Amino acid sequence: MFVANNNNSDDFKHSNFEKIALEIINQERKKNKLEPLSLMKNLTKISDLKTKEMSKYSDLSDFVKDQQGQNLQTVFNIYNIKNCKFIFQNMAQDYENTQDIINNWLKNEKIKNKILDGDATHFSLSYLEANNKKYWFSFIISKTDDFKESDVEKIALEIINQERQKNKLKPLSLMKNLTKISDLKTKEMSKYSDLSDFVKTQQGQNLQAIFDIYNIENCKFIFQNMAQGYITPKDIVDSWLKDRETKTKLLDQDATHFSLSYLEANNKKYWFNFIISKPDDLDEKTLSEYRQEVVNLTNQERKKNGLAPLKIFNTMMDAAQIRATEQVKLSGHKRPDGKDYITVVDDVKFDLTGAYSIGENVAQGQYTPKEVVEGWMNSPGHRANILNPDYEYIGVGAVSEKSKLYWSQIFYRGDTHGRS
């Protein structure tokens, strides 16, 4: 907000003052390779209103005090100016012509920066002569195109996916039920006058329980964000991309789905979004690569501990694959028929004869070989199997079912009966 007084005397045509001012400003913006500002009828009406209010004050500083803390967005909404960002308002007395007042602004570094704001789109200037004084009032705003609430997600997603493409990452997708949860959260948020109070209610909340209600199973939660006051989807995504931590989440290579909900209530704009990882079921080629990678990572752990690598035993690979499939029905070391896991060798027509030792690791829900091997290494019993010096052979199973991965390892030492 800038306040000025001046006493110059030049004639000018009152009907053209706004256009004259805009022409001077746009010449300056053109020099700085910026888009020109435009006039807006309803913005001018608000400036006219402010100029009339100002004329009722003998001391301009009293008017300035009354403007402080005023909710301009409420006034803009009355005049149907929505989705705008307030950049600048200026009031002045006794400048005789448009050239003088604009030149004065351009000499003031702070005001000049507002005039040359790259986001600015619209300008207004009102003039009133009363009580032997000349009153001036101006706005500069950034007004984006109106958007439908139904387009909010698509607009934001397009910007995010452009950024992911630059970083050679797969695009995110929308998910109807994830959007429903975001909608629910936005409505909850709108009931709080202080956003920090809402944030406190979200801490420690079991999101997976909510996701399960909406049939979003086997997903990995990556990011949630809540905000107030942003005008457009572009504004909020731009703010995320400027924040290093948030940008990292947007560019998470495991992320698959995105949601963003928007609600305008209580003269505020509320936003809520999720980013999750919910991969599709993997094809057999990928699963085969995963099995091999589990073998590689397992042997890396053995090497770190001075142990010989395990050799792939295809018969045990087949047995491990059966056991991974059985984990979908029944988790643990018992088979769905109630028998012990060791009986799986019968299914692959392999006899356990002579001296032998055998062990099993199983897991479910991990998304990658690295994640599952790290999980096993952090569990004493599973770690003991991986680092057991007696074992010579390994079989690995991996199954993808309803976007969830099931894993198994079978360790073996003994006669292979000539099998590979």
Side-chain angles (χ1 to χ4, degrees):
M1 182 183 296
F2 178 75
V3 183
N5 290 278
N6 193 48
N7 288 299
N8 290 331
S9 58
D10 286 312
D11 292 332
F12 85 110
K13 295 179 181 179
H14 294 185
S15 59
N16 291 329
F17 63 84
E18 196 173 39
K19 293 179 182 177
I20 293 169
L22 185 65
E23 184 178 348
I24 299 168
I25 287 171
N26 281 339
Q27 286 173 358
E28 193 67 27
R29 288 179 65 86
K30 186 176 181 181
K31 290 178 189 175
N32 288 271
K33 298 180 181 179
L34 295 169
E35 292 291 319
L37 304 185
S38 302
L39 300 179
M40 183 191 295
K41 189 178 290 184
N42 279 2
L43 190 63
T44 300
K45 286 181 179 180
I46 301 173
S47 291
D48 289 344
L49 179 70
K50 292 292 183 183
T51 311
K52 288 176 184 176
E53 289 179 16
M54 185 169 34
S55 70
K56 297 174 183 178
Y57 290 77
S58 57
D59 188 335
L60 186 57
S61 62
D62 292 334
F63 174 69
V64 173
K65 290 175 185 175
D66 285 347
Q67 299 305 297
Q68 291 171 350
Q70 189 179 62
N71 188 345
L72 281 171
Q73 190 58 58
T74 302
V75 181
F76 286 179
N77 287 344
I78 293 170
Y79 283 83
N80 202 33
I81 303 176
K82 297 180 179 179
N83 305 325
C84 74
K85 181 171 69 175
F86 171 71
I87 291 176
F88 171 66
Q89 68 175 345
N90 182 44
M91 53 205 76
Q93 274 183 7
D94 295 334
Y95 282 89
E96 292 294 331
N97 60 54
T98 313
Q99 182 81 47
D100 286 344
I101 194 166
I102 300 300
N103 284 343
N104 181 274
W105 289 347
L106 292 173
K107 289 175 184 176
N108 183 298
E109 196 66 28
K110 185 177 179 181
I111 299 173
K112 185 176 180 179
N113 288 339
K114 299 293 186 183
I115 289 172
L116 300 181
D117 189 302
D119 292 333
T121 58
H122 291 83
F123 166 82
S124 70
L125 178 65
S126 293
Y127 164 83
L128 177 66
E129 190 169 347
N131 311 317
N132 294 318
K133 292 183 179 180
K134 300 177 189 296
Y135 299 91
W136 304 83
F137 197 100
S138 169
F139 283 116
I140 294 177
I141 65 169
S142 173
K143 173 76 169 67
T144 59
D145 294 333
D146 290 336
F147 60 89
K148 297 178 182 177
E149 286 190 32
S150 58
D151 292 336
V152 162
E153 274 188 318
K154 293 176 183 177
I155 294 168
L157 185 64
E158 184 177 354
I159 299 168
I160 290 169
N161 281 339
Q162 286 172 355
E163 193 67 27
R164 288 179 66 86
Q165 186 178 23
K166 290 178 189 175
N167 289 271
K168 299 180 180 179
L169 295 167
K170 290 182 179 179
L172 304 183
S173 302
L174 300 179
M175 183 190 295
K176 189 177 290 184
N177 280 2
L178 190 63
T179 300
K180 286 181 179 179
I181 301 174
S182 290
D183 289 344
L184 179 70
K185 292 292 184 182
T186 311
K187 288 175 184 175
E188 288 179 19
M189 184 169 34
S190 69
K191 297 174 183 176
Y192 291 80
S193 57
D194 189 334
L195 184 59
S196 62
D197 291 334
F198 174 69
V199 172
K200 290 174 186 175
T201 67
Q202 302 304 295
Q203 292 170 350
Q205 192 174 61
N206 186 350
L207 280 172
Q208 190 57 59
I210 299 172
F211 286 179
D212 289 346
I213 293 171
Y214 283 83
N215 202 32
I216 304 176
E217 299 175 344
N218 309 323
C219 73
K220 183 170 72 173
F221 170 72
I222 291 177
F223 174 67
Q224 69 174 345
N225 185 49
M226 52 208 80
Q228 277 182 5
Y230 291 95
I231 304 299
T232 68
K234 183 179 184 301
D235 288 340
I236 194 164
V237 174
D238 284 349
S239 75
W240 291 340
L241 292 173
K242 289 174 184 176
D243 182 89
R244 182 179 297 178
E245 183 179 352
T246 307
K247 185 176 180 179
T248 300
K249 299 294 187 183
L250 293 175
L251 300 182
D252 189 302
Q253 65 178 2
D254 292 333
T256 59
H257 291 83
F258 166 86
S259 69
L260 178 64
S261 293
Y262 162 83
L263 177 66
E264 190 167 350
N266 314 315
N267 292 319
K268 293 182 180 179
K269 298 177 187 292
Y270 300 89
W271 306 83
F272 196 101
N273 105 287
F274 285 114
I275 293 177
I276 64 170
S277 174
K278 190 178 190 306
D280 296 329
D281 285 331
L282 301 178
D283 57 28
E284 181 53 35
K285 179 177 181 294
T286 303
L287 289 170
S288 178
E289 291 170 353
Y290 275 18
R291 293 177 199 119
Q292 180 62 56
E293 183 62 12
V294 168
V295 173
N296 296 342
L297 292 170
T298 297
N299 281 333
Q300 285 177 20
E301 294 297 336
R302 288 177 67 87
K303 184 177 181 180
K304 289 177 190 176
N305 288 271
L307 299 172
L310 300 173
K311 291 173 280 189
I312 290 177
F313 183 17
N314 287 324
T315 299
M316 289 304 170
M317 290 291 282
D318 293 340
Q321 188 62 16
I322 292 172
R323 288 294 295 133
T325 303
E326 290 179 344
Q327 295 302 304
V328 178
K329 295 180 180 179
L330 181 66
S331 177
H333 297 291
K334 289 290 183 182
R335 304 187 71 189
D337 62 5
K339 295 179 181 178
D340 192 74
Y341 78 89
I342 200 171
T343 63
V344 72
V345 298
D346 297 333
D347 294 35
V348 293
K349 297 180 172 53
F350 185 78
D351 294 325
L352 293 174
T353 57
Y356 72 88
S357 56
I358 192 167
E360 179 185 64
N361 284 345
V362 293
Q364 59 178 273
Q366 295 83 0
Y367 287 91
T368 63
K370 182 175 184 289
E371 192 176 348
V372 73
V373 172
E374 284 181 351
W376 281 330
M377 289 300 293
N378 288 326
S379 167
H382 298 97
R383 179 186 176 91
N385 276 337
I386 289 173
L387 300 182
N388 189 325
D390 290 337
Y391 291 136
E392 297 179 83
Y393 302 99
I394 187 173
V396 174
V399 171
S400 180
E401 181 72 23
K402 294 182 179 178
S403 302
K404 186 174 182 179
L405 288 177
Y406 298 83
W407 309 84
S408 73
Q409 288 180 310
I410 291 181
F411 305 91
Y412 177 68
R413 178 179 181 177
D415 191 347
T416 63
H417 303 293
R419 295 193 185 188
S420 59

